């Protein structure tokens, strides 16, 4: 009898824990076209709060540092892929990190970025969250970022 009771309690605990904490994750992928043949590309997947605090460190799992290979430099394109992304609203921010320091450099005088950066879609000077957000509730592919 105690053995059956342990098995039942184990099954109940497993069912509750997986339904309460089981979170579906998704993949986001795309391609970056660039012109410069030096440095690296940094790609961030940011929540609204993280985006509003740009310049501060992102969650390590949501930043990709891509150093193009000789073949990628020749075609001036690289691919990126974020895995295990929880459901939510995000934006993708890409920096062409020419000096290779892995961060978004800003001018001390103006506070503006000193290296090129882009979001997917058309180039705009002032971005609003609603213009750049991506709702992640399924796998997303085919995103294009062009420098």
């Amino acid at each position: 009898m105690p053995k059956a009771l342990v098995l039942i309690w184990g099954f109940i605990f497993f069912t509750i824990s997986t339904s309460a904490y089981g979170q579906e994750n998704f993949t986001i992928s795309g391609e970056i076209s660039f012109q410069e043949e030096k440095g690296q590309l940094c790609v961030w997947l940011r929540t609204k709060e993280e985006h509003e605090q740009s310049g501060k460190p992102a969650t390590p799992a949501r930043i990709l540092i891509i150093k193009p290979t000789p073949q990628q430099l020749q075609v001036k394109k690289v691919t990126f892929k974020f895995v295990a992304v929880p459901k939510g609203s995000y934006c993708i921010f890409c920096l062409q990190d020419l000096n290779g320091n892995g961060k978004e450099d800003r001018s001390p005088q103006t506070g503006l970025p000193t290296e090129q950066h882009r979001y997917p879609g058309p180039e705009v000077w002032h971005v609003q969250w609603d213009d750049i957000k991506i709702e992640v509730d399924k796998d997303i592919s085919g995103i294009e970022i062009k420098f």
Side-chain angles (χ1 to χ4, degrees), residues 47-104:
T47 63
K48 182 177 183 179
E49 294 76 26
E50 292 165 341
H51 181 67
E52 290 172 350
Q53 299 176 3
S54 63
K56 296 190 177 168
T59 305
R62 293 198 316 235
I63 181 171
L64 303 173
I65 307 292
I66 304 169
K67 179 77 174 153
T69 66
Q71 295 83 6
Q72 292 169 326
L73 285 171
Q74 189 174 18
V75 296
K76 298 191 182 318
K77 289 183 181 182
V78 297
T79 59
F80 67 90
K81 185 175 189 177
F82 291 98
V83 296
V85 178
K87 181 179 178 178
S89 298
Y90 300 90
C91 75
I92 296 174
F93 175 81
C94 184
L95 171 72
Q96 194 160 17
D97 183 20
L98 298 177
N99 64 7
N101 67 356
K103 65 180 188 173
E104 183 181 355

Side-chain angles (χ1 to χ4, degrees), residues 31-45:
E31 183 177 80
I32 304 166
S33 302
F34 57 92
Q35 297 302 314
E36 296 288 336
E37 293 187 13
K38 60 182 177 177
Q40 58 193 10
L41 296 156
C42 302
V43 189
W44 285 269
L45 183 65

